[in-house]
Amino acid sequence: QVQLVESGGGLVQPGRSLKLSCTASGDSLDIYSVAWFRQGPGHERQGVGCISGSDGSTYWKTSVQGRFTISRDSAKNTAYLQMNSLKPEDTGVYYCAAAPACALGYAGADQEYQYWGQGTQVTVSS
């Protein structure tokens, strides 16, 4: 089992960057695929991106591809979501989640993840 804690959210202006952290305790995060989900105001929770635990491949929601990256630091048992060129529509509560494999881009994909953090608020506004 793994427990996840997100950090790094905040208020940022459009066009700026923000880096979120997902720190794990319990198991090594390396054995899991780690995804980031976002729930914007009035929207359902949607997958933003995922990094595979098996080969490090990444998968992205189309609207963030090329702007966001996911990385890991095994020594710190932490995964990161680097968000660049932020837009107001990126606003939401961001959650990290862990599962044996990535699941993204379809309704109910979030049900594939067994472990979740508590979320961190990101607000993109001028």
Side-chain angles (χ1 to χ4, degrees), residues 5-71:
V5 178
E6 303 95 337
S7 61
L11 173 64
V12 63
Q13 293 180 331
R16 304 298 293 267
S17 297
L18 203 61
K19 187 175 184 178
L20 306 183
S21 300
C22 173
T23 300
S25 58
D27 285 343
S28 169
L29 199 55
D30 287 349
I31 67 174
Y32 294 97
S33 295
V34 178
W36 288 89
F37 284 77
R38 172 174 76 199
Q39 186 163 19
H43 293 278
E44 295 184 353
R45 189 165 57 187
Q46 294 184 329
V48 171
C50 185
I51 184 166
S52 170
S54 60
D55 63 5
S57 297
T58 54
Y59 305 89
W60 296 102
K61 179 178 174 63
T62 302
S63 63
V64 307
Q65 194 161 12
R67 299 189 295 123
F68 290 11
T69 58
I70 296 177
S71 60

Short mmCIF file of all heavy atoms in Angstrom, two decimals, residues 5-71:
data_model
loop_
_atom_site.label_atom_id
_atom_site.label_comp_id
_atom_site.label_asym_id
_atom_site.label_seq_id
_atom_site.Cartn_x
_atom_site.Cartn_y
_atom_site.Cartn_z
N VAL A 5 0.56 12.27 -0.73
CA VAL A 5 0.30 13.64 -0.30
C VAL A 5 0.77 14.60 -1.38
O VAL A 5 1.96 14.59 -1.74
CB VAL A 5 1.02 13.95 1.03
CG1 VAL A 5 0.78 15.41 1.43
CG2 VAL A 5 0.54 13.02 2.14
N GLU A 6 -0.15 15.43 -1.88
CA GLU A 6 0.20 16.43 -2.88
C GLU A 6 0.60 17.75 -2.20
O GLU A 6 0.13 18.06 -1.11
CB GLU A 6 -0.96 16.72 -3.83
CG GLU A 6 -1.52 15.55 -4.59
CD GLU A 6 -2.70 14.93 -3.90
OE1 GLU A 6 -2.85 15.11 -2.66
OE2 GLU A 6 -3.51 14.28 -4.57
N SER A 7 1.40 18.50 -2.89
CA SER A 7 1.76 19.85 -2.43
C SER A 7 2.16 20.68 -3.64
O SER A 7 2.38 20.14 -4.73
CB SER A 7 2.89 19.80 -1.40
OG SER A 7 4.05 19.24 -1.96
N GLY A 8 2.25 21.99 -3.42
CA GLY A 8 2.75 22.86 -4.48
C GLY A 8 1.69 23.69 -5.19
O GLY A 8 2.03 24.49 -6.06
N GLY A 9 0.44 23.50 -4.83
CA GLY A 9 -0.60 24.29 -5.47
C GLY A 9 -0.55 25.75 -5.05
O GLY A 9 0.19 26.13 -4.13
N GLY A 10 -1.34 26.58 -5.72
CA GLY A 10 -1.40 27.98 -5.38
C GLY A 10 -2.06 28.80 -6.47
O GLY A 10 -2.65 28.26 -7.40
N LEU A 11 -1.93 30.11 -6.32
CA LEU A 11 -2.46 31.06 -7.29
C LEU A 11 -1.34 31.50 -8.21
O LEU A 11 -0.27 31.92 -7.73
CB LEU A 11 -3.05 32.27 -6.55
CG LEU A 11 -3.51 33.45 -7.41
CD1 LEU A 11 -4.66 33.04 -8.32
CD2 LEU A 11 -3.91 34.62 -6.51
N VAL A 12 -1.58 31.42 -9.51
CA VAL A 12 -0.55 31.78 -10.48
C VAL A 12 -1.20 32.51 -11.65
O VAL A 12 -2.36 32.26 -11.99
CB VAL A 12 0.22 30.52 -10.95
CG1 VAL A 12 -0.71 29.55 -11.66
CG2 VAL A 12 1.41 30.87 -11.79
N GLN A 13 -0.46 33.42 -12.24
CA GLN A 13 -0.98 34.18 -13.38
C GLN A 13 -0.94 33.35 -14.66
O GLN A 13 -0.08 32.46 -14.80
CB GLN A 13 -0.16 35.45 -13.58
CG GLN A 13 -0.31 36.45 -12.46
CD GLN A 13 0.52 37.71 -12.70
OE1 GLN A 13 1.56 37.65 -13.36
NE2 GLN A 13 0.05 38.82 -12.18
N PRO A 14 -1.82 33.62 -15.60
CA PRO A 14 -1.76 32.92 -16.89
C PRO A 14 -0.40 33.08 -17.54
O PRO A 14 0.22 34.14 -17.47
CB PRO A 14 -2.85 33.62 -17.70
CG PRO A 14 -3.81 34.14 -16.69
CD PRO A 14 -2.97 34.54 -15.51
N GLY A 15 0.05 31.98 -18.13
CA GLY A 15 1.35 31.98 -18.78
C GLY A 15 2.50 31.57 -17.89
O GLY A 15 3.60 31.29 -18.40
N ARG A 16 2.29 31.56 -16.59
CA ARG A 16 3.35 31.18 -15.66
C ARG A 16 3.37 29.68 -15.43
O ARG A 16 2.57 28.93 -16.01
CB ARG A 16 3.15 31.92 -14.33
CG ARG A 16 3.08 33.43 -14.47
CD ARG A 16 4.37 34.02 -15.01
NE ARG A 16 5.49 33.88 -14.10
CZ ARG A 16 5.84 34.82 -13.22
NH1 ARG A 16 5.14 35.93 -13.11
NH2 ARG A 16 6.90 34.63 -12.44
N SER A 17 4.32 29.25 -14.59
CA SER A 17 4.53 27.82 -14.34
C SER A 17 4.29 27.49 -12.87
O SER A 17 4.38 28.37 -12.00
CB SER A 17 5.96 27.43 -14.71
OG SER A 17 6.20 27.62 -16.08
N LEU A 18 4.04 26.22 -12.64
CA LEU A 18 3.85 25.71 -11.28
C LEU A 18 4.26 24.25 -11.28
O LEU A 18 4.03 23.54 -12.28
CB LEU A 18 2.39 25.86 -10.84
CG LEU A 18 2.06 25.90 -9.35
CD1 LEU A 18 2.74 27.08 -8.67
CD2 LEU A 18 0.55 25.98 -9.17
N LYS A 19 4.85 23.80 -10.18
CA LYS A 19 5.27 22.40 -10.08
C LYS A 19 4.61 21.78 -8.86
O LYS A 19 4.78 22.25 -7.74
CB LYS A 19 6.79 22.30 -9.96
CG LYS A 19 7.32 20.89 -10.01
CD LYS A 19 8.86 20.89 -10.02
CE LYS A 19 9.44 19.50 -10.16
NZ LYS A 19 10.93 19.53 -10.21
N LEU A 20 3.85 20.72 -9.09
CA LEU A 20 3.20 19.99 -8.01
C LEU A 20 4.02 18.76 -7.64
O LEU A 20 4.65 18.15 -8.50
CB LEU A 20 1.81 19.55 -8.44
CG LEU A 20 0.86 20.64 -8.96
CD1 LEU A 20 -0.50 20.04 -9.27
CD2 LEU A 20 0.75 21.78 -7.97
N SER A 21 3.97 18.41 -6.38
CA SER A 21 4.66 17.22 -5.88
C SER A 21 3.65 16.23 -5.33
O SER A 21 2.61 16.62 -4.78
CB SER A 21 5.64 17.59 -4.77
OG SER A 21 6.62 18.49 -5.22
N CYS A 22 3.97 14.96 -5.49
CA CYS A 22 3.16 13.88 -4.94
C CYS A 22 4.13 12.97 -4.19
O CYS A 22 4.86 12.19 -4.81
CB CYS A 22 2.46 13.12 -6.06
SG CYS A 22 1.57 11.64 -5.55
N THR A 23 4.13 13.08 -2.88
CA THR A 23 5.08 12.34 -2.06
C THR A 23 4.40 11.12 -1.45
O THR A 23 3.30 11.23 -0.89
CB THR A 23 5.65 13.22 -0.95
OG1 THR A 23 6.32 14.34 -1.56
CG2 THR A 23 6.66 12.46 -0.10
N ALA A 24 5.06 9.99 -1.58
CA ALA A 24 4.48 8.72 -1.14
C ALA A 24 5.16 8.23 0.13
O ALA A 24 6.35 8.44 0.34
CB ALA A 24 4.62 7.68 -2.24
N SER A 25 4.38 7.53 0.94
CA SER A 25 4.90 6.78 2.07
C SER A 25 4.31 5.38 2.00
O SER A 25 3.26 5.16 1.41
CB SER A 25 4.56 7.45 3.40
OG SER A 25 3.17 7.59 3.54
N GLY A 26 5.02 4.43 2.60
CA GLY A 26 4.61 3.04 2.49
C GLY A 26 5.46 2.38 1.42
O GLY A 26 6.67 2.36 1.51
N ASP A 27 4.82 1.87 0.38
CA ASP A 27 5.54 1.24 -0.71
C ASP A 27 6.35 2.26 -1.51
O ASP A 27 6.09 3.46 -1.46
CB ASP A 27 4.57 0.56 -1.68
CG ASP A 27 4.00 -0.73 -1.12
OD1 ASP A 27 4.57 -1.27 -0.16
OD2 ASP A 27 2.96 -1.17 -1.65
N SER A 28 7.30 1.73 -2.30
CA SER A 28 8.00 2.57 -3.26
C SER A 28 7.02 2.99 -4.36
O SER A 28 6.29 2.15 -4.91
CB SER A 28 9.17 1.81 -3.88
OG SER A 28 9.67 2.52 -4.99
N LEU A 29 7.04 4.27 -4.69
CA LEU A 29 6.16 4.77 -5.75
C LEU A 29 6.59 4.24 -7.12
O LEU A 29 5.79 4.23 -8.06
CB LEU A 29 6.19 6.30 -5.73
CG LEU A 29 5.06 7.06 -6.42
CD1 LEU A 29 3.70 6.62 -5.91
CD2 LEU A 29 5.25 8.55 -6.25
N ASP A 30 7.83 3.77 -7.22
CA ASP A 30 8.36 3.30 -8.50
C ASP A 30 7.59 2.10 -9.05
O ASP A 30 7.60 1.87 -10.26
CB ASP A 30 9.84 2.93 -8.36
CG ASP A 30 10.73 4.16 -8.23
OD1 ASP A 30 10.22 5.28 -8.46
OD2 ASP A 30 11.91 3.99 -7.90
N ILE A 31 6.96 1.32 -8.20
CA ILE A 31 6.28 0.12 -8.67
C ILE A 31 4.90 0.43 -9.21
O ILE A 31 4.22 -0.45 -9.74
CB ILE A 31 6.18 -0.94 -7.56
CG1 ILE A 31 5.26 -0.49 -6.42
CG2 ILE A 31 7.56 -1.30 -7.05
CD1 ILE A 31 5.01 -1.57 -5.38
N TYR A 32 4.48 1.69 -9.11
CA TYR A 32 3.15 2.10 -9.56
C TYR A 32 3.23 3.01 -10.78
O TYR A 32 4.23 3.72 -10.99
CB TYR A 32 2.43 2.86 -8.45
CG TYR A 32 2.11 2.03 -7.24
CD1 TYR A 32 2.95 2.05 -6.13
CD2 TYR A 32 0.97 1.24 -7.20
CE1 TYR A 32 2.66 1.30 -5.00
CE2 TYR A 32 0.67 0.49 -6.07
CZ TYR A 32 1.51 0.52 -4.98
OH TYR A 32 1.22 -0.23 -3.86
N SER A 33 2.18 3.00 -11.54
CA SER A 33 1.94 4.07 -12.49
C SER A 33 1.27 5.20 -11.72
O SER A 33 0.39 4.96 -10.89
CB SER A 33 1.04 3.60 -13.63
OG SER A 33 1.68 2.59 -14.39
N VAL A 34 1.71 6.41 -11.99
CA VAL A 34 1.22 7.57 -11.24
C VAL A 34 0.54 8.53 -12.20
O VAL A 34 1.13 8.92 -13.22
CB VAL A 34 2.37 8.29 -10.51
CG1 VAL A 34 1.84 9.53 -9.79
CG2 VAL A 34 3.03 7.34 -9.52
N ALA A 35 -0.67 8.88 -11.87
CA ALA A 35 -1.45 9.81 -12.70
C ALA A 35 -1.78 11.06 -11.92
O ALA A 35 -1.80 11.06 -10.68
CB ALA A 35 -2.74 9.14 -13.17
N TRP A 36 -2.02 12.10 -12.67
CA TRP A 36 -2.54 13.35 -12.11
C TRP A 36 -3.93 13.57 -12.69
O TRP A 36 -4.12 13.47 -13.90
CB TRP A 36 -1.63 14.52 -12.43
CG TRP A 36 -0.35 14.50 -11.66
CD1 TRP A 36 0.82 13.90 -12.02
CD2 TRP A 36 -0.12 15.09 -10.38
NE1 TRP A 36 1.77 14.08 -11.05
CE2 TRP A 36 1.22 14.81 -10.03
CE3 TRP A 36 -0.90 15.82 -9.49
CZ2 TRP A 36 1.78 15.25 -8.83
CZ3 TRP A 36 -0.34 16.26 -8.30
CH2 TRP A 36 0.99 15.97 -7.98
N PHE A 37 -4.87 13.87 -11.81
CA PHE A 37 -6.23 14.19 -12.18
C PHE A 37 -6.53 15.62 -11.78
O PHE A 37 -5.90 16.17 -10.87
CB PHE A 37 -7.22 13.24 -11.50
CG PHE A 37 -7.28 11.88 -12.11
CD1 PHE A 37 -6.29 10.94 -11.86
CD2 PHE A 37 -8.33 11.52 -12.94
CE1 PHE A 37 -6.34 9.67 -12.43
CE2 PHE A 37 -8.40 10.26 -13.51
CZ PHE A 37 -7.39 9.34 -13.25
N ARG A 38 -7.51 16.18 -12.43
CA ARG A 38 -7.91 17.56 -12.15
C ARG A 38 -9.43 17.61 -12.09
O ARG A 38 -10.12 17.03 -12.93
CB ARG A 38 -7.39 18.48 -13.26
CG ARG A 38 -7.88 19.90 -13.21
CD ARG A 38 -7.15 20.71 -14.27
NE ARG A 38 -7.63 20.48 -15.61
CZ ARG A 38 -6.94 20.78 -16.71
NH1 ARG A 38 -5.74 21.28 -16.61
NH2 ARG A 38 -7.47 20.58 -17.91
N GLN A 39 -9.93 18.35 -11.09
CA GLN A 39 -11.37 18.61 -11.02
C GLN A 39 -11.58 20.11 -10.98
O GLN A 39 -11.29 20.75 -9.96
CB GLN A 39 -12.01 17.94 -9.81
CG GLN A 39 -13.52 18.09 -9.80
CD GLN A 39 -14.20 17.12 -8.86
OE1 GLN A 39 -13.58 16.57 -7.95
NE2 GLN A 39 -15.49 16.88 -9.07
N GLY A 40 -12.02 20.66 -12.12
CA GLY A 40 -12.28 22.08 -12.20
C GLY A 40 -13.67 22.41 -11.68
O GLY A 40 -14.51 21.53 -11.52
N PRO A 41 -13.94 23.69 -11.46
CA PRO A 41 -15.25 24.13 -10.97
C PRO A 41 -16.37 23.67 -11.89
O PRO A 41 -16.34 23.95 -13.10
CB PRO A 41 -15.13 25.65 -10.96
CG PRO A 41 -13.67 25.93 -10.92
CD PRO A 41 -13.01 24.82 -11.66
N GLY A 42 -17.31 22.93 -11.36
CA GLY A 42 -18.45 22.47 -12.15
C GLY A 42 -18.14 21.33 -13.10
O GLY A 42 -18.97 21.00 -13.96
N HIS A 43 -16.97 20.74 -12.97
CA HIS A 43 -16.57 19.66 -13.88
C HIS A 43 -16.31 18.37 -13.10
O HIS A 43 -15.99 18.40 -11.91
CB HIS A 43 -15.31 20.05 -14.65
CG HIS A 43 -15.51 21.17 -15.60
ND1 HIS A 43 -16.03 21.00 -16.86
CD2 HIS A 43 -15.27 22.49 -15.47
CE1 HIS A 43 -16.10 22.16 -17.47
NE2 HIS A 43 -15.65 23.09 -16.65
N GLU A 44 -16.42 17.26 -13.80
CA GLU A 44 -16.02 15.99 -13.21
C GLU A 44 -14.49 15.89 -13.19
O GLU A 44 -13.80 16.57 -13.93
CB GLU A 44 -16.61 14.83 -14.01
CG GLU A 44 -18.12 14.76 -13.95
CD GLU A 44 -18.66 13.54 -14.68
OE1 GLU A 44 -17.88 12.84 -15.32
OE2 GLU A 44 -19.88 13.31 -14.60
N ARG A 45 -14.02 15.02 -12.32
CA ARG A 45 -12.58 14.78 -12.25
C ARG A 45 -12.11 14.11 -13.55
O ARG A 45 -12.72 13.13 -14.01
CB ARG A 45 -12.28 13.89 -11.05
CG ARG A 45 -10.83 13.72 -10.73
CD ARG A 45 -10.64 13.13 -9.36
NE ARG A 45 -11.31 11.86 -9.19
CZ ARG A 45 -11.40 11.21 -8.03
NH1 ARG A 45 -10.87 11.75 -6.94
NH2 ARG A 45 -12.01 10.05 -7.96
N GLN A 46 -11.04 14.65 -14.12
CA GLN A 46 -10.51 14.14 -15.39
C GLN A 46 -9.02 13.90 -15.27
O GLN A 46 -8.30 14.65 -14.59
CB GLN A 46 -10.76 15.15 -16.52
CG GLN A 46 -12.21 15.35 -16.86
CD GLN A 46 -12.37 16.30 -18.04
OE1 GLN A 46 -11.56 17.19 -18.25
NE2 GLN A 46 -13.41 16.08 -18.81
N GLY A 47 -8.56 12.88 -15.95
CA GLY A 47 -7.14 12.60 -15.98
C GLY A 47 -6.39 13.63 -16.81
O GLY A 47 -6.84 14.01 -17.89
N VAL A 48 -5.27 14.08 -16.30
CA VAL A 48 -4.42 15.06 -16.98
C VAL A 48 -3.23 14.37 -17.63
O VAL A 48 -2.90 14.65 -18.78
CB VAL A 48 -3.96 16.12 -15.97
CG1 VAL A 48 -2.91 17.03 -16.60
CG2 VAL A 48 -5.12 16.92 -15.45
N GLY A 49 -2.60 13.48 -16.89
CA GLY A 49 -1.44 12.77 -17.42
C GLY A 49 -1.08 11.61 -16.53
O GLY A 49 -1.53 11.54 -15.38
N CYS A 50 -0.27 10.70 -17.06
CA CYS A 50 0.13 9.52 -16.31
C CYS A 50 1.52 9.08 -16.75
O CYS A 50 1.85 9.19 -17.95
CB CYS A 50 -0.87 8.39 -16.54
SG CYS A 50 -0.55 6.91 -15.55
N ILE A 51 2.31 8.61 -15.80
CA ILE A 51 3.60 8.02 -16.11
C ILE A 51 3.56 6.56 -15.73
O ILE A 51 3.17 6.21 -14.60
CB ILE A 51 4.76 8.78 -15.42
CG1 ILE A 51 6.11 8.20 -15.83
CG2 ILE A 51 4.60 8.79 -13.90
CD1 ILE A 51 7.30 9.08 -15.46
N SER A 52 3.95 5.72 -16.67
CA SER A 52 3.88 4.29 -16.45
C SER A 52 4.94 3.83 -15.47
O SER A 52 6.09 4.28 -15.52
CB SER A 52 4.07 3.56 -17.79
OG SER A 52 4.23 2.17 -17.58
N GLY A 53 4.57 2.90 -14.60
CA GLY A 53 5.52 2.32 -13.67
C GLY A 53 6.40 1.27 -14.32
O GLY A 53 7.47 0.95 -13.80
N SER A 54 5.98 0.73 -15.46
CA SER A 54 6.73 -0.36 -16.09
C SER A 54 7.85 0.16 -16.98
O SER A 54 8.97 -0.39 -16.96
CB SER A 54 5.79 -1.24 -16.90
OG SER A 54 5.16 -0.50 -17.92
N ASP A 55 7.58 1.22 -17.76
CA ASP A 55 8.60 1.67 -18.71
C ASP A 55 8.78 3.18 -18.76
O ASP A 55 9.55 3.67 -19.59
CB ASP A 55 8.30 1.14 -20.11
CG ASP A 55 6.99 1.66 -20.67
OD1 ASP A 55 6.35 2.51 -20.02
OD2 ASP A 55 6.59 1.20 -21.76
N GLY A 56 8.08 3.91 -17.91
CA GLY A 56 8.24 5.36 -17.87
C GLY A 56 7.54 6.11 -18.98
O GLY A 56 7.71 7.33 -19.09
N SER A 57 6.75 5.41 -19.79
CA SER A 57 5.99 6.10 -20.84
C SER A 57 5.00 7.06 -20.20
O SER A 57 4.51 6.83 -19.09
CB SER A 57 5.23 5.10 -21.70
OG SER A 57 6.11 4.24 -22.38
N THR A 58 4.72 8.14 -20.90
CA THR A 58 3.76 9.11 -20.40
C THR A 58 2.58 9.24 -21.35
O THR A 58 2.71 9.05 -22.57
CB THR A 58 4.41 10.49 -20.19
OG1 THR A 58 5.04 10.90 -21.41
CG2 THR A 58 5.44 10.45 -19.07
N TYR A 59 1.43 9.56 -20.78
CA TYR A 59 0.19 9.70 -21.52
C TYR A 59 -0.47 10.98 -21.05
O TYR A 59 -0.41 11.32 -19.86
CB TYR A 59 -0.71 8.49 -21.23
CG TYR A 59 -0.03 7.18 -21.52
CD1 TYR A 59 0.71 6.53 -20.53
CD2 TYR A 59 -0.08 6.61 -22.78
CE1 TYR A 59 1.37 5.34 -20.79
CE2 TYR A 59 0.57 5.42 -23.05
CZ TYR A 59 1.30 4.79 -22.05
OH TYR A 59 1.96 3.62 -22.31
N TRP A 60 -1.12 11.67 -22.00
CA TRP A 60 -1.59 13.02 -21.69
C TRP A 60 -2.98 13.30 -22.19
O TRP A 60 -3.39 12.82 -23.25
CB TRP A 60 -0.64 14.05 -22.31
CG TRP A 60 0.73 13.98 -21.73
CD1 TRP A 60 1.83 13.40 -22.28
CD2 TRP A 60 1.14 14.45 -20.44
NE1 TRP A 60 2.90 13.51 -21.43
CE2 TRP A 60 2.50 14.15 -20.29
CE3 TRP A 60 0.47 15.12 -19.41
CZ2 TRP A 60 3.21 14.49 -19.15
CZ3 TRP A 60 1.18 15.44 -18.27
CH2 TRP A 60 2.53 15.12 -18.15
N LYS A 61 -3.69 14.13 -21.42
CA LYS A 61 -4.89 14.77 -21.92
C LYS A 61 -4.44 15.74 -23.01
O LYS A 61 -3.45 16.45 -22.85
CB LYS A 61 -5.57 15.52 -20.77
CG LYS A 61 -6.84 16.27 -21.13
CD LYS A 61 -7.41 16.93 -19.88
CE LYS A 61 -8.59 17.82 -20.21
NZ LYS A 61 -9.71 17.05 -20.77
N THR A 62 -5.16 15.76 -24.11
CA THR A 62 -4.74 16.53 -25.28
C THR A 62 -4.49 17.99 -24.95
O THR A 62 -3.52 18.59 -25.44
CB THR A 62 -5.79 16.42 -26.39
OG1 THR A 62 -5.98 15.04 -26.72
CG2 THR A 62 -5.36 17.17 -27.63
N SER A 63 -5.33 18.57 -24.12
CA SER A 63 -5.25 20.01 -23.87
C SER A 63 -4.00 20.42 -23.09
O SER A 63 -3.67 21.61 -23.05
CB SER A 63 -6.50 20.48 -23.13
OG SER A 63 -6.60 19.86 -21.86
N VAL A 64 -3.30 19.46 -22.48
CA VAL A 64 -2.10 19.82 -21.71
C VAL A 64 -0.82 19.29 -22.35
O VAL A 64 0.28 19.64 -21.91
CB VAL A 64 -2.19 19.32 -20.25
CG1 VAL A 64 -3.48 19.78 -19.59
CG2 VAL A 64 -2.03 17.82 -20.14
N GLN A 65 -0.97 18.46 -23.38
CA GLN A 65 0.23 17.88 -24.00
C GLN A 65 1.13 18.97 -24.54
O GLN A 65 0.69 19.91 -25.19
CB GLN A 65 -0.19 16.93 -25.12
CG GLN A 65 0.92 16.02 -25.58
CD GLN A 65 0.39 14.81 -26.33
OE1 GLN A 65 -0.78 14.75 -26.68
NE2 GLN A 65 1.26 13.83 -26.56
N GLY A 66 2.42 18.85 -24.23
CA GLY A 66 3.39 19.85 -24.63
C GLY A 66 3.59 20.96 -23.61
O GLY A 66 4.58 21.69 -23.68
N ARG A 67 2.66 21.08 -22.67
CA ARG A 67 2.80 22.10 -21.62
C ARG A 67 3.15 21.48 -20.27
O ARG A 67 3.82 22.11 -19.45
CB ARG A 67 1.50 22.91 -21.48
CG ARG A 67 1.10 23.66 -22.73
CD ARG A 67 -0.07 24.60 -22.45
NE ARG A 67 -1.29 23.90 -22.09
CZ ARG A 67 -1.96 24.09 -20.95
NH1 ARG A 67 -1.53 24.95 -20.06
NH2 ARG A 67 -3.09 23.42 -20.71
N PHE A 68 2.68 20.28 -20.04
CA PHE A 68 2.88 19.61 -18.74
C PHE A 68 3.84 18.44 -18.92
O PHE A 68 3.88 17.79 -19.96
CB PHE A 68 1.56 19.05 -18.21
CG PHE A 68 0.55 20.08 -17.76
CD1 PHE A 68 0.71 21.43 -18.02
CD2 PHE A 68 -0.58 19.66 -17.07
CE1 PHE A 68 -0.24 22.36 -17.59
CE2 PHE A 68 -1.53 20.57 -16.65
CZ PHE A 68 -1.36 21.93 -16.90
N THR A 69 4.63 18.17 -17.88
CA THR A 69 5.48 16.98 -17.85
C THR A 69 5.37 16.32 -16.48
O THR A 69 5.09 16.98 -15.48
CB THR A 69 6.95 17.31 -18.14
OG1 THR A 69 7.42 18.27 -17.17
CG2 THR A 69 7.15 17.86 -19.54
N ILE A 70 5.57 15.01 -16.46
CA ILE A 70 5.59 14.24 -15.22
C ILE A 70 6.98 13.63 -15.07
O ILE A 70 7.55 13.12 -16.03
CB ILE A 70 4.54 13.11 -15.23
CG1 ILE A 70 3.12 13.68 -15.30
CG2 ILE A 70 4.67 12.25 -13.98
CD1 ILE A 70 2.05 12.61 -15.40
N SER A 71 7.49 13.69 -13.86
CA SER A 71 8.78 13.08 -13.57
C SER A 71 8.72 12.41 -12.21
O SER A 71 7.76 12.57 -11.46
CB SER A 71 9.89 14.13 -13.61
OG SER A 71 9.66 15.14 -12.64
#
